[in-house]
Amino acid sequence: MSLRYALLGLISKKPQTGYELYQTFQQQIIYFWNSTHSQIYTELRKMEQDEVISSELIYQEGSPNKKKYTITKEGEKDLIHWILEQKIKPAKIKDEFLIRASAFHLLSIDEILGLLDTIIEREQQILEGTLLWQSQHIEQEQPKFEQIGEYITSEYGIMYAKMYIDWCLKVKDILSKMDLEN
Amino acid sequence: MSLRYALLGLISKKPQTGYELYQTFQQQIIYFWNSTHSQIYTELRKMEQDEVISSELIYQEGSPNKKKYTITKEGEKDLIHWILEQKIKPAKIKDEFLIRASAFHLLSIDEILGLLDTIIEREQQILEGTLLWQSQHIEQEQPKFEQIGEYITSEYGIMYAKMYIDWCLKVKDILSKMDLEN
DNA sequence: GTGACATATGTCATTTTTGACATATAGAGC
DNA sequence: GCTCTATATGTCAAAAATGACATATGTCAC
């Protein structure tokens, strides 16, 4: 059910198409939720049936037609109720790299260092992308309350990526100390 | 398939029962993977069929019987191959609270502060639990290579919880500045 | 002119995950 | 005596998610 509320939250900011929502998931929401386009389109149709959103068909010549979704009064009521009254479930994380990390005792130091460097690079690129997005979309000097969601979640993305890099560096440090002692 | 390798990594450290594995997921692995007991028991049976683990039945009087699983040569080969050769998929996170955070524009300042305090408390309790676990299980002065997995993943848990708390405090700070300006 | 990529939405079989139900014993608290 | 919790494992229907396939057009590079 949470995907529904993630979509509802985005649509509550401004009417949007499924494709636009999908892109937002790929670019920003990726830090705390993930979905494929097939799941998003399917959920949007269910949401329209349940009348939490309404759609408007936009015909485009030479381009595929779009469906723009708008939140309904009922939808906004539902969303606020979910945010404030429903029990907050703890985050569910599936991080393959940490699975690997938990089995590092099976590898050599060099193999571990190789994996860590790959991840540091990956996270640095993600971090740069998020910093760029934030500088282009958020006025940090004078943030507006309407933008609070984008601002704080992009901030979260930045802090998460930095933490991940710091953790990788700490692991390298721990390893270097072990290496010297043996 | 990743659940399989998460289980395999744990069993590679020492032979274990499904129940023990489940408890480890609840206590430590929770930071980077989640699974229910039904899924773990089902996967263990499949893994035995595929001969990556073998089981030994332990009869207990007055207590339910156990099945202790041990990794096979084939299993260890499989695991190492997965760790080093398979493409590392990015983490998938489903964090309901951040879904809520992305819709904070629909709430009042007081409602937001209330939610943030709930989460700060939750994360502080998790942090304390992890710090306690680490102090009891890891020798930080002289960490042993066999323990590298537990050490660095518990370290990850600590850094993650701290980052989450810091982020909550930062959001409060951002809000306090906005409040003054309006 | 052709292959790749971006826009835009959809279906669908398979896999994964959830959460409730089920069973059995022991111990602690009320 | 009763309920709750912990140990220990299991089934199973339903829900959620994945990933491949499908369709249609415009643009851009080679």
Side-chain angles (χ1 to χ4, degrees):
Chain A
M1 270 290 104
S2 305
L3 172 60
R4 162 164 307 207
Y5 295 108
L7 292 167
L8 218 42
L10 292 174
I11 299 169
S12 81
K13 287 173 207 167
K14 67 157 198 259
Q16 288 178 75
T17 66
Y19 193 70
E20 285 169 324
L21 291 162
Y22 170 64
Q23 284 183 119
T24 303
F25 269 76
Q26 297 308 297
Q27 289 156 24
Q28 298 142 255
I29 309 297
I30 201 77
Y31 290 109
F32 55 93
W33 208 267
N34 67 85
S35 266
T36 54
H37 76 272
S38 54
Q39 211 186 348
I40 290 171
Y41 287 123
T42 306
E43 185 63 31
L44 285 168
R45 263 173 277 134
K46 279 191 217 157
M47 286 162 75
E48 195 178 7
Q49 268 175 35
D50 294 344
E51 293 178 21
V52 293
I53 52 173
S54 61
S55 75
E56 183 200 353
L57 244 164
I58 297 173
Y59 295 96
Q60 294 189 126
E61 285 167 51
S63 261
N65 294 328
K66 299 189 217 181
K67 262 191 224 167
K68 196 174 232 175
Y69 291 100
T70 306
I71 195 166
T72 63
K73 289 248 166 66
E74 187 61 25
E76 199 171 296
K77 238 177 72 183
D78 254 36
L79 175 57
I80 292 174
H81 177 263
W82 179 79
I83 294 173
L84 291 175
E85 310 296 340
Q86 290 295 114
K87 197 177 173 288
I88 302 172
K89 288 185 200 156
K92 282 179 201 168
I93 305 173
K94 305 233 158 166
D95 189 332
E96 272 197 1
F97 184 67
L98 279 150
I99 297 284
R100 284 170 169 85
S102 77
F104 273 0
H105 58 280
L106 296 170
L107 306 184
S108 71
I109 301 280
D110 281 348
E111 285 169 335
I112 297 173
L113 292 175
L115 287 174
L116 285 168
D117 285 337
T118 311
I119 297 303
I120 289 171
E121 212 185 305
R122 182 190 77 183
E123 290 302 318
Q124 249 152 9
Q125 276 180 25
I126 294 171
L127 177 58
E128 272 168 46
T130 310
L131 285 168
L132 183 68
W133 183 92
Q134 203 190 54
S135 71
Q136 287 170 345
H137 292 84
I138 310 288
E139 286 211 38
Q140 289 198 54
E141 295 306 311
Q142 208 72 4
K144 283 172 190 155
F145 188 68
E146 303 102 80
Q147 281 211 305
I148 185 80
E150 284 114 296
Y151 182 21
I152 63 177
T153 53
S154 66
E155 201 58 42
Y156 178 86
I158 290 163
M159 288 175 78
Y160 179 80
K162 280 184 181 167
M163 181 274 292
Y164 216 111
I165 294 167
D166 283 348
W167 174 75
C168 288
L169 296 174
K170 178 152 196 169
V171 173
K172 284 180 114 173
D173 186 56
I174 290 168
L175 283 169
S176 70
K177 282 177 190 160
M178 278 181 172
D179 212 12
L180 286 172
E181 278 158 20
N182 297 342
Chain B
M1 270 291 104
S2 306
L3 171 60
R4 163 164 305 208
Y5 295 108
L7 292 168
L8 219 42
L10 293 174
I11 298 169
S12 82
K13 286 173 209 167
K14 67 156 197 258
Q16 287 177 75
T17 65
Y19 192 71
E20 285 170 324
L21 292 161
Y22 170 63
Q23 284 184 119
T24 302
F25 271 76
Q26 296 309 298
Q27 288 156 25
Q28 296 142 253
I29 310 298
I30 200 78
Y31 289 109
F32 54 94
W33 207 267
N34 68 85
S35 266
T36 54
H37 76 273
S38 53
Q39 210 185 351
I40 291 171
Y41 286 123
T42 307
E43 186 62 32
L44 285 169
R45 261 173 278 136
K46 279 192 218 154
M47 287 163 75
E48 195 178 6
Q49 266 176 37
D50 294 343
E51 293 177 22
V52 293
I53 52 173
S54 61
S55 74
E56 181 200 354
L57 243 165
I58 298 173
Y59 295 95
Q60 295 190 125
E61 285 167 51
S63 261
N65 294 329
K66 298 189 220 183
K67 261 192 225 168
K68 196 172 232 176
Y69 291 99
T70 306
I71 195 165
T72 63
K73 289 249 164 66
E74 187 60 24
E76 200 172 294
K77 238 178 74 184
D78 254 38
L79 175 57
I80 292 173
H81 177 264
W82 178 79
I83 293 173
L84 291 174
E85 310 298 338
Q86 290 295 116
K87 197 177 171 289
I88 301 174
K89 288 185 199 154
K92 283 178 199 166
I93 305 174
K94 305 232 157 167
D95 190 331
E96 272 197 2
F97 184 67
L98 280 149
I99 296 284
R100 284 172 170 85
S102 77
F104 273 180
H105 59 279
L106 295 169
L107 307 184
S108 71
I109 302 280
D110 282 346
E111 285 169 334
I112 297 173
L113 292 175
L115 287 175
L116 286 169
D117 286 336
T118 310
I119 298 302
I120 289 171
E121 211 184 307
R122 182 190 75 182
E123 291 300 318
Q124 249 152 10
Q125 276 181 23
I126 294 170
L127 176 59
E128 272 168 46
T130 310
L131 285 168
L132 183 68
W133 184 91
Q134 202 190 53
S135 71
Q136 286 170 345
H137 292 83
I138 311 288
E139 284 211 40
Q140 288 198 56
E141 294 307 310
Q142 208 72 4
K144 284 171 189 154
F145 189 68
E146 305 102 79
Q147 281 211 305
I148 186 79
E150 283 114 297
Y151 182 20
I152 63 178
T153 53
S154 66
E155 202 57 43
Y156 178 86
I158 290 163
M159 288 174 79
Y160 178 80
K162 281 184 181 166
M163 181 274 291
Y164 216 109
I165 293 167
D166 284 347
W167 173 75
C168 287
L169 295 174
K170 178 153 197 169
V171 173
K172 284 180 113 174
D173 185 55
I174 290 167
L175 282 169
S176 70
K177 282 177 190 159
M178 278 182 172
D179 212 12
L180 286 172
E181 277 158 21
N182 296 340

